Amino acid sequence: CMQLSERVGPAPGAHPAATLVGRLRRDLRRFGGRKGWVWLSPGADPFVASARDLAGPALTVAEELLRSGQDLTIRTRGGVSTAAGLVTLARRHPGRIRVDIGFFATDPELMATWERGAASLDERVALATALQQAGCEVTATLGPIVPMVNDSQASLTELGRVLRRADIQVWTPLWIRYAPGLIPQIRREISRSRARMLQGWFHMGR
């Protein structure tokens, strides 16, 4: 998959949910019972099709956190058909879950090239609608914004129209950031020319 600085899938082997919950309860005891917002961030997105084996453990951990009094922020590029469990969780705990959905572009070919494994645009919009109806706050991350790929005014304006129609009011732009192994990944999964372009762009920013 190509999610650049983030990983969508394929998923690594998931720990048994009981093991995760045991560790979580131990950590919460050390936390001293304090309440607040927790960012639930597995190593791979558990709500995309390529990481289905992570969805169950992730939802189990989320439920345990909510029962302990913590509220949750979850980030995903999944869609309504692969994140039904997340919608159910939001319905059981209205007002206590915030989901940030990532959006790269509206062009299907561009998304297929740069977001392999992520849900389609329509699936993500449908997920946002279902979560909002379940009482969940939904925000959007725009990006990663890649120079000369999805950073044009026309591309961002069209994406903004889609988000406004979905009643997503809070957007956070995220520019692509250098990470070890990123340029070889782009060379391997996208193209050599895009890798050279980004390498030059990063070099200019130093």
Side-chain angles (χ1 to χ4, degrees):
C1 108
M2 172 56 63
Q3 190 30 54
L4 305 176
S5 58
E6 297 177 19
R7 184 177 179 183
V8 173
H15 288 288
T19 300
L20 292 172
V21 168
R23 293 178 182 176
L24 178 62
R25 287 174 178 167
R26 181 192 61 203
D27 291 341
L28 287 170
R29 284 195 297 271
R30 287 207 300 258
F31 194 55
R34 287 172 288 175
K35 304 297 189 292
W37 283 87
V38 174
W39 180 24
L40 183 60
S41 179
D45 187 337
F47 303 112
V48 297
S50 58
R52 286 182 185 273
D53 61 325
L54 287 184
L59 289 168
T60 299
V61 168
E63 186 71 61
E64 186 68 23
L65 284 165
L66 290 161
R67 287 176 181 169
S68 73
Q70 310 300 324
D71 296 329
L72 297 182
T73 296
I74 298 170
R75 181 176 290 170
T76 186
R77 290 176 186 264
V80 69
S81 62
T82 54
L86 185 56
V87 176
T88 300
L89 189 71
R91 194 174 293 120
R92 285 202 299 266
H93 303 276
R96 298 187 56 205
I97 300 174
R98 179 188 300 128
V99 177
D100 183 85
I101 302 176
F103 292 90
F104 186 78
T106 59
D107 184 330
E109 290 187 11
L110 206 58
M111 293 171 62
T113 300
W114 289 84
E115 285 194 307
R116 296 175 193 172
S120 69
L121 179 65
D122 287 345
E123 276 277 306
R124 281 181 249 188
V125 169
L127 174 61
T129 300
L131 288 167
Q132 289 165 337
Q133 292 172 348
C136 178
E137 179 185 353
V138 178
T139 61
T141 291
L142 278 56
I145 299 173
V146 182
M148 293 180 281
V149 174
N150 64 339
D151 65 335
S152 70
Q153 180 176 347
S155 176
L156 293 172
T157 297
E158 179 57 30
L159 183 54
R161 289 196 189 99
V162 170
L163 298 178
R164 282 193 294 272
R165 285 198 297 267
D167 199 28
I168 303 174
Q169 304 298 330
V170 178
W171 314 340
T172 302
L174 177 67
W175 283 89
I176 189 171
R177 294 171 293 183
Y178 177 79
L182 175 61
I183 298 302
Q185 183 188 7
I186 292 174
R187 186 183 301 117
R188 184 176 62 252
E189 298 186 15
I190 305 298
S191 70
R192 292 180 178 273
S193 61
R194 288 298 184 190
R196 286 195 299 270
M197 178 271 294
L198 266 179
Q199 193 167 29
W201 187 76
F202 287 134
H203 182 74
M204 286 189 299
R206 289 178 181 175

